[in-house]
Amino acid sequence: PETFKSLSAAEFFYRNREIAGFANPTRALYQTVRELVENALDATDTHGILPIIKLYIERSRDNPNHYIVTVEDNGVGIPPQYVPRAFGQVLFSSKYVLRQTRGMYGLGAKMAILYGQITTGKPVEVITSPIVSGRIYYFKLNIDIKQNKPLILEQKSWRKNSRWHGTIVSITVEGDWSRARQYIYDYIEKTAVAAPYAELVFRDPDGKVTRYLRAIEKLPPPPKSVKPHPHGVDIEMLKFLIASAKSTTLREFLIESFQGIGEVTVDRFLEWAGLDPKADVRKMTVRSLEKLARKLKEYTGFKPPRADSLSPFSEDIIKAGLERVFRPEFVAAVTRRPSAYSGHPFIIEVGIAYGGGVKSDREPQLIRYANKIPLLFDTKSDVAWKVIDPEKFDWKQYLVNFPAPLVVLVHVCSTKVPFKGVGKESIADVPEIEKEIRNAVREAARRLRRFLSKKRQEEEMRRR
Amino acid sequence: PETFKSLSAAEFFYRNREIAGFANPTRALYQTVRELVENALDATDTHGILPIIKLYIERSRDNPNHYIVTVEDNGVGIPPQYVPRAFGQVLFSSKYVLRQTRGMYGLGAKMAILYGQITTGKPVEVITSPIVSGRIYYFKLNIDIKQNKPLILEQKSWRKNSRWHGTIVSITVEGDWSRARQYIYDYIEKTAVAAPYAELVFRDPDGKVTRYLRAIEKLPPPPKSVKPHPHGVDIEMLKFLIASAKSTTLREFLIESFQGIGEVTVDRFLEWAGLDPKADVRKMTVRSLEKLARKLKEYTGFKPPRADSLSPFSEDIIKAGLERVFRPEFVAAVTRRPSAYSGHPFIIEVGIAYGGGVKSDREPQLIRYANKIPLLFDTKSDVAWKVIDPEKFDWKQYLVNFPAPLVVLVHVCSTKVPFKGVGKESIADVPEIEKEIRNAVREAARRLRRFLSKKRQEEEMRRR
Ligand SMILES: Nc1ncnc2c1ncn2[C@@H]1O[C@H](COP(=O)(O)OP(=O)(O)OP(=O)(O)O)[C@@H](O)[C@H]1O
Ligand SMILES: Nc1ncnc2c1ncn2[C@@H]1O[C@H](COP(=O)(O)OP(=O)(O)OP(=O)(O)O)[C@@H](O)[C@H]1O
Ligand SMILES: [Mg+2]
Ligand SMILES: [Mg+2]
């Protein structure tokens, strides 16, 4: 007879860790670095702090295949009452709100800690001090996988005698530095180039130190947390919003719970939809909720989704980054206006670099970012490749004939990037996103064409 | 200040449902069909029952974009005390054991039910009767997303006056039949062709009925549930096994908990590893567990993983299937011996069809299966494509020059197929699996070469 059983979320992701990027020691070492660095950047630039991030990878003295990965940041720190769950409970997070952050699942740090626990048995060590706090806190934690809760092995705190604030996380994992190193160096390089306002220091297992100094002193405005847009709504979301709303009438509920619905718009919408403004939302049947969800999705009169929940690179930063890495003959960058899919605002940015230090290749070299995170794997299954693939995009009409020295950078930023998997390596084919990437690439490619056509004319003239 | 929050597993998969294949109404309708059909096949052929599976998709009278998807099977049924959680609790399953089944996550049916609930508000209806039961049970259920538990809206049962056994599941979802139909027909066709011992009936929203009659009366031996192999072990798995073991000494624990470790092998292993057979496993420190895990992984003297936990198609079924669909000029099939990755047994099967009814194309046409499930999406990011891609596999040396009429079928079956995502569409690059696929393709390609070379010689002779 069948044996029925339930799993905790920790057990599920432990058994299926390849889904989160922990398929083998090479990918696991890379993913561990990523998860910690992305948390450190979220703790700084999302909070208006110029980041200082230090990454150390050192070989463990007990076992040459084990690596101690430590990341230190000068971020907002974590209140001590939340530290055990932040690092010991799968699906626990401060990023479950509508705001552009690198983190979104409440899983990343825990996956790295879990992987360390199952391959080396070593617990995670966390040192943290919130800006407002007068103390520094130390925790040594394990994850109780079956119960999905933290096990505190050690905990202490002491008075802070400096103005230090931030977090240090140290995890020991099985890894393969010889195979992972090219990806980790590439990831750190791409992160630094895209965040010139950050100072990054990286010391690798051979003791080699790489330092990226701050190139600009100005931090982009941090993204704000916002309310959902009505176009993203479904029946269960309505039920959740109703349960947590203060308002009880439909009219007040819509104004309170959504962005893009003001005093004037709400009355127009209710009239168009044929709904009663005074209806008690707590008494709505499933049938009326289904109708409300459908009408909210169809109505075109709401303001478009807000962009202040987003934080793009900017055309200057993209151009500066491409210049620095490639010293190309030509560079262009495009930051599109905000768009939306399923009520989530998003912005597409595209950069093109051509010639100069760019190597010639038989297809475009695609560099991808999502919410400022460099994406290195599964390139060909990403929606951005679907757009710029020479089999789909007519580069010839822009005077680019392969083999050619062409780099295309694509950045997707959103309150929710539709990744294909929790390992965050490639983006799904969302039609609105695909369309915007195509428009941005065309815009940048037109500028490339003007440059190439002018260059060709000058060469003609010189020949005569 | 940051707002910390935890999510239930149901909330997590509700918010990130694109990760499970529910990104839009087209994919959602397709995925709903898949999840129900795969459950029906697991309930039959895994239990020695010749499957009779009926799939109905009908348009809802309330809304032309809503579809009622119903699947009926003659399987083992579900004991009534487990029905609410089987369909109302995410991460609840009877397939969390080491045995080849289509299901593995404890998520599939719940995702379809969740999607129905959020797009149409309609609950799932389940009718079931276990073989041994004298009653038929009916349930109408919702999922309480926040609590991740079932809400029973209605429940009744009545005496069975026939020998019927099995399950009927009916879910109403938002869908897009015009876009989804080609994928659903393809999926049903590929499922039927690979399961000639099954009877499948499909009635689509236009009323069209497609019937696949049983072609063979003999069911392949159902896979057996087995113990883990020592090569898959990690520290946390050891802790779980120790907690549930009856034995207390290391020697007895190893024999009881693992496959491939017998009375003779255990003593040889313990001597080689320098471990004490009488050590009390319940008192082992993390350090000694880490050493035990490492030694178990390194030792090469264990028997290879067992194949009775697997259920491949067989070369006859593959050839018959390819003949039936393509009427090719040439067909070959290879079923490899069992191999293993991370202690999980797996078998690779490859089929080749050439010429005849196979259309000519500029690259090989890849048909993929995993644990008998047809995989239709993300083909180019699958490990099988990585092997047969003409850029990586020298088809010319097998006398195949593109464009050519070549179909390659690849089947990966395992106690755990390493899918890239919970939507089960493509398989990750596990080195052992990639190597076995390559060997199988070469074997089949060699037979193709003999055929093509002979054919070419005959054409030469006829020309003279
Ligand atoms: N360096 C840090 N500084 C401040 N807070 C942190 C830091 N690292 C982790 N946290 C907190 O711990 C929480 C859990 O982190 P974790 O990486 O597991 O999930 P996440 O970042 O929210 O989402 P994701 O799984 O997408 O990474 C974060 O939401 C954040 O509140
Ligand atoms: N038609 C059916 N007949 C018998 N049992 C069923 C049927 N459908 C579902 N079940 C039971 O309900 C459980 C949950 O199904 P569900 O599809 O959610 O998960 P799963 O099949 O175990 O894994 P996966 O998420 O990979 O599909 C199954 O494990 C099985 O025990
Ligand atoms: Mg994180
Ligand atoms: Mg299932």
Side-chain angles (χ1 to χ4, degrees):
Chain A
E2 296 285 278
T3 26
F4 287 84
K5 195 169 113 148
S6 66
L7 296 182
S8 74
E11 277 180 293
F12 177 81
F13 283 106
Y14 155 65
R15 289 164 62 106
N16 299 301
R17 53 193 174 275
E18 66 278 353
I19 274 169
F22 288 82
N24 54 61
T26 303
R27 288 294 295 264
L29 182 58
Y30 167 76
Q31 199 72 20
T32 297
V33 167
R34 271 192 74 175
E35 297 295 353
L36 267 52
V37 168
E38 287 162 26
N39 282 345
L41 285 163
D42 275 348
T44 47
D45 70 10
T46 308
H47 297 279
I49 299 171
L50 285 168
I52 300 172
I53 315 269
K54 299 174 188 163
L55 162 67
Y56 308 103
I57 305 176
E58 42 179 327
R59 275 192 189 85
S60 158
R61 265 176 261 146
D62 304 333
N63 185 320
N65 293 325
H66 293 180
Y67 297 86
I68 307 164
V69 179
T70 306
V71 172
E72 174 179 347
D73 63 66
N74 61 333
V76 288
I78 307 156
Q81 68 270 29
Y82 292 121
V83 169
R85 296 173 76 192
F87 293 99
Q89 182 177 330
V90 169
L91 305 188
F92 187 82
S93 167
S94 64
K95 303 169 198 171
Y96 287 144
V97 294
L98 250 66
R99 173 187 58 178
Q100 174 185 328
T101 45
R102 295 161 184 82
M104 61 190 280
Y105 297 127
L107 184 62
K110 276 77 79 179
M111 286 309 304
I113 292 163
L114 209 60
Y115 189 81
Q117 205 169 299
I118 70 183
T119 54
T120 69
K122 300 253 164 69
V124 61
E125 294 182 283
V126 179
I127 295 173
T128 191
S129 182
I131 300 178
V132 297
S133 170
R135 300 189 71 77
I136 298 180
Y137 300 88
Y138 168 85
F139 289 85
K140 201 184 234 185
L141 300 165
N142 264 344
I143 300 178
D144 178 334
I145 296 179
K146 216 161 172 57
Q147 305 267 0
N148 189 23
K149 63 184 202 339
L151 286 163
I152 303 177
L153 305 177
E154 211 183 312
Q155 183 173 353
K156 44 189 183 189
S157 70
W158 56 95
R159 272 194 55 70
K160 191 155 69 175
N161 53 19
S162 72
R163 301 189 66 200
W164 183 77
H165 56 81
T167 304
I168 307 174
V169 181
S170 190
I171 302 175
T172 307
V173 294
E174 181 184 34
D176 187 338
W177 172 247
S178 61
R179 287 206 172 88
R181 63 172 305 189
Q182 61 166 338
Y183 301 112
I184 292 173
Y185 268 108
D186 195 15
Y187 176 85
I188 295 301
E189 163 99 344
K190 290 193 160 103
T191 296
V193 158
Y197 50 79
E199 178 181 326
L200 286 164
V201 182
F202 168 33
R203 193 182 70 210
D204 78 13
D206 305 318
K208 170 167 158 219
V209 178
T210 309
R211 199 178 290 272
Y212 293 92
L213 297 170
R214 184 168 295 147
I216 62 180
E217 288 297 318
K218 186 162 161 301
L219 193 65
K224 295 197 179 69
S225 207
V226 298
K227 293 175 192 169
H229 191 272
H231 280 173
V233 78
D234 60 66
I235 296 168
E236 289 295 327
M237 190 193 292
L238 283 177
K239 285 197 209 159
F240 284 136
L241 291 171
I242 287 169
S244 54
K246 296 198 178 64
S247 316
T248 52
T249 67
L250 179 56
R251 184 181 188 279
E252 296 312 310
F253 163 74
L254 290 175
I255 295 173
E256 173 191 354
S257 308
F258 291 100
Q259 56 163 293
I261 303 188
E263 296 276 349
V264 177
T265 317
V266 70
D267 293 325
R268 283 205 204 120
F269 164 72
L270 290 169
E271 180 164 356
W272 167 88
L275 294 163
D276 172 17
K278 294 217 179 60
D280 185 339
V281 282
R282 296 158 306 176
K283 297 203 174 68
M284 285 180 80
T285 62
V286 169
R287 212 172 171 79
S288 52
L289 285 175
E290 190 274 331
K291 173 177 181 184
L292 175 60
R294 190 163 19 96
K295 293 297 185 190
L296 285 168
K297 279 197 284 208
E298 289 172 21
Y299 189 66
T300 52
F302 298 124
K303 291 201 220 46
R306 292 163 56 168
D308 56 353
S309 57
L310 301 177
S311 177
F313 286 138
S314 82
E315 294 175 357
D316 287 345
I317 281 184
I318 292 174
K319 284 199 282 215
L322 289 171
E323 297 269 8
R324 180 173 165 182
V325 173
F326 294 107
R327 306 209 180 290
E329 216 180 331
F330 168 87
V331 79
V334 172
T335 296
R336 302 278 295 175
R337 279 206 219 93
S339 231
Y341 81 95
S342 299
H344 283 284
F346 71 89
I347 285 172
I348 300 300
E349 301 185 283
V350 164
I352 281 184
Y354 190 95
V358 179
K359 290 199 183 63
S360 199
D361 205 333
R362 56 188 190 75
E363 55 187 24
Q365 298 154 52
L366 175 57
I367 297 178
R368 297 169 293 138
Y369 288 86
N371 283 5
K372 303 193 174 183
I373 304 169
L375 308 183
L376 302 191
F377 293 92
D378 294 351
T379 306
K380 296 281 170 77
S381 62
D382 193 294
V383 62
W385 177 254
K386 189 177 173 203
V387 171
I388 72 161
D389 183 348
E391 307 229 332
K392 307 245 174 55
F393 193 90
D394 188 9
W395 287 103
K396 290 201 228 61
Q397 72 159 297
Y398 298 95
L399 305 181
V400 177
N401 294 296
F402 293 100
L406 174 71
V407 163
V408 181
L409 183 154
V410 178
H411 182 216
V412 178
C413 60
S414 178
T415 51
K416 182 185 167 202
V417 174
F419 288 109
K420 283 191 156 187
V422 297
K424 293 179 193 155
E425 279 302 348
S426 62
I427 301 176
D429 285 13
V430 170
E432 295 88 335
I433 289 182
E434 181 179 335
K435 184 154 160 287
E436 266 299 291
I437 293 175
R438 188 167 292 116
N439 289 337
V441 173
R442 282 174 180 162
E443 214 180 311
R446 281 194 288 270
R447 295 183 206 168
L448 174 63
R449 178 171 56 198
R450 276 202 292 277
F451 166 82
L452 288 176
S453 139
K454 190 155 171 287
K455 185 174 178 226
R456 235 148 269 206
Q457 288 175 8
E458 293 172 354
E459 286 175 358
E460 281 302 304
M461 297 193 44
R462 244 174 289 143
R463 229 167 282 170
R464 298 169 197 161
Chain B
E2 297 286 274
T3 25
F4 287 83
K5 196 169 113 149
S6 67
L7 295 182
S8 74
E11 280 181 289
F12 176 80
F13 283 106
Y14 155 66
R15 289 165 62 106
N16 300 300
R17 52 192 175 273
E18 66 277 354
I19 274 168
F22 289 83
N24 56 60
T26 302
R27 287 296 293 265
L29 182 57
Y30 167 77
Q31 199 72 17
T32 297
V33 167
R34 270 190 75 173
E35 296 295 355
L36 267 51
V37 168
E38 287 162 27
N39 283 344
L41 284 163
D42 274 348
T44 47
D45 69 14
T46 308
H47 296 279
I49 298 171
L50 287 167
I52 300 173
I53 315 270
K54 298 174 189 165
L55 162 66
Y56 308 103
I57 305 176
E58 40 178 332
R59 276 190 189 87
S60 158
R61 267 176 257 150
D62 303 333
N63 186 321
N65 292 325
H66 293 179
Y67 297 85
I68 306 164
V69 180
T70 305
V71 173
E72 173 178 348
D73 64 67
N74 61 333
V76 288
I78 306 156
Q81 67 270 27
Y82 292 123
V83 169
R85 297 173 75 191
F87 293 100
Q89 183 176 329
V90 170
L91 305 188
F92 187 82
S93 167
S94 63
K95 303 169 196 172
Y96 288 143
V97 294
L98 251 64
R99 171 188 59 175
Q100 173 185 328
T101 45
R102 295 162 184 83
M104 61 190 280
Y105 296 128
L107 185 61
K110 277 77 78 179
M111 286 308 305
I113 292 164
L114 209 59
Y115 190 81
Q117 206 169 298
I118 69 181
T119 55
T120 71
K122 301 254 164 71
V124 62
E125 293 183 284
V126 179
I127 294 174
T128 191
S129 182
I131 299 177
V132 296
S133 170
R135 301 189 71 78
I136 298 180
Y137 301 88
Y138 169 85
F139 289 85
K140 203 185 232 183
L141 300 166
N142 265 345
I143 299 177
D144 177 334
I145 297 179
K146 216 160 170 58
Q147 305 266 359
N148 189 23
K149 65 183 204 333
L151 287 165
I152 303 177
L153 305 179
E154 210 182 313
Q155 181 174 354
K156 45 190 182 188
S157 70
W158 55 94
R159 270 194 58 67
K160 190 154 69 175
N161 52 19
S162 69
R163 302 188 65 200
W164 183 75
H165 57 81
T167 305
I168 308 175
V169 181
S170 190
I171 302 175
T172 308
V173 294
E174 180 183 34
D176 187 337
W177 171 247
S178 61
R179 286 205 173 90
R181 65 171 303 187
Q182 61 167 340
Y183 301 112
I184 292 172
Y185 267 108
D186 194 14
Y187 176 84
I188 294 301
E189 163 100 344
K190 289 194 160 102
T191 295
V193 158
Y197 49 79
E199 178 180 325
L200 285 164
V201 183
F202 169 32
R203 192 182 72 209
D204 78 11
D206 306 318
K208 171 167 158 216
V209 178
T210 308
R211 198 180 290 273
Y212 293 91
L213 296 171
R214 184 166 295 144
I216 62 182
E217 289 298 318
K218 187 163 161 300
L219 194 65
K224 294 197 180 71
S225 211
V226 298
K227 294 175 189 166
H229 191 274
H231 282 171
V233 78
D234 61 66
I235 296 167
E236 290 293 328
M237 189 193 293
L238 282 176
K239 285 197 210 159
F240 284 136
L241 291 170
I242 288 168
S244 53
K246 296 198 177 65
S247 317
T248 51
T249 67
L250 180 56
R251 183 180 188 280
E252 296 312 310
F253 163 74
L254 290 175
I255 295 173
E256 175 192 352
S257 307
F258 291 100
Q259 59 166 290
I261 304 187
E263 297 276 348
V264 176
T265 317
V266 71
D267 293 323
R268 281 202 205 126
F269 164 72
L270 290 168
E271 181 164 355
W272 168 87
L275 294 164
D276 171 16
K278 295 219 178 60
D280 186 339
V281 283
R282 297 160 304 178
K283 297 204 174 70
M284 286 179 81
T285 62
V286 170
R287 214 172 170 75
S288 51
L289 285 175
E290 190 274 329
K291 173 177 183 186
L292 175 60
R294 189 165 19 97
K295 293 296 184 190
L296 285 168
K297 278 199 282 210
E298 289 171 22
Y299 188 67
T300 51
F302 299 124
K303 291 201 221 46
R306 291 162 57 169
D308 57 352
S309 57
L310 301 177
S311 177
F313 285 136
S314 83
E315 295 176 358
D316 287 345
I317 280 185
I318 292 175
K319 285 199 281 214
L322 289 171
E323 296 268 9
R324 179 174 165 180
V325 175
F326 295 106
R327 305 208 181 290
E329 216 180 329
F330 167 87
V331 79
V334 172
T335 296
R336 301 279 296 175
R337 281 208 218 92
S339 230
Y341 81 96
S342 300
H344 283 284
F346 71 88
I347 285 173
I348 300 300
E349 300 185 284
V350 163
I352 280 184
Y354 189 94
V358 180
K359 291 200 181 65
S360 198
D361 206 332
R362 57 191 189 72
E363 54 188 23
Q365 299 155 53
L366 175 58
I367 297 177
R368 297 167 297 137
Y369 288 86
N371 283 5
K372 303 194 174 181
I373 305 169
L375 308 182
L376 302 191
F377 294 91
D378 294 350
T379 306
K380 295 283 170 74
S381 61
D382 193 291
V383 62
W385 177 254
K386 190 174 171 204
V387 171
I388 72 161
D389 183 348
E391 308 231 331
K392 307 243 172 61
F393 192 90
D394 188 12
W395 286 102
K396 288 202 227 62
Q397 74 159 296
Y398 298 94
L399 305 181
V400 177
N401 293 295
F402 293 99
L406 175 70
V407 164
V408 181
L409 183 153
V410 178
H411 181 215
V412 177
C413 59
S414 177
T415 51
K416 183 185 166 202
V417 174
F419 288 109
K420 283 192 158 186
V422 297
K424 294 181 194 156
E425 278 302 348
S426 61
I427 301 176
D429 285 12
V430 171
E432 295 88 332
I433 289 183
E434 182 179 336
K435 183 154 162 288
E436 266 299 291
I437 293 176
R438 187 166 294 114
N439 289 337
V441 174
R442 283 176 181 159
E443 214 180 314
R446 280 195 288 272
R447 294 183 209 168
L448 174 64
R449 178 170 54 200
R450 277 201 294 277
F451 166 81
L452 289 176
S453 139
K454 189 156 170 285
K455 185 172 177 226
R456 236 148 268 206
Q457 287 173 9
E458 293 174 354
E459 287 176 357
E460 280 304 304
M461 297 193 43
R462 243 176 290 144
R463 229 166 281 168
R464 297 166 197 163

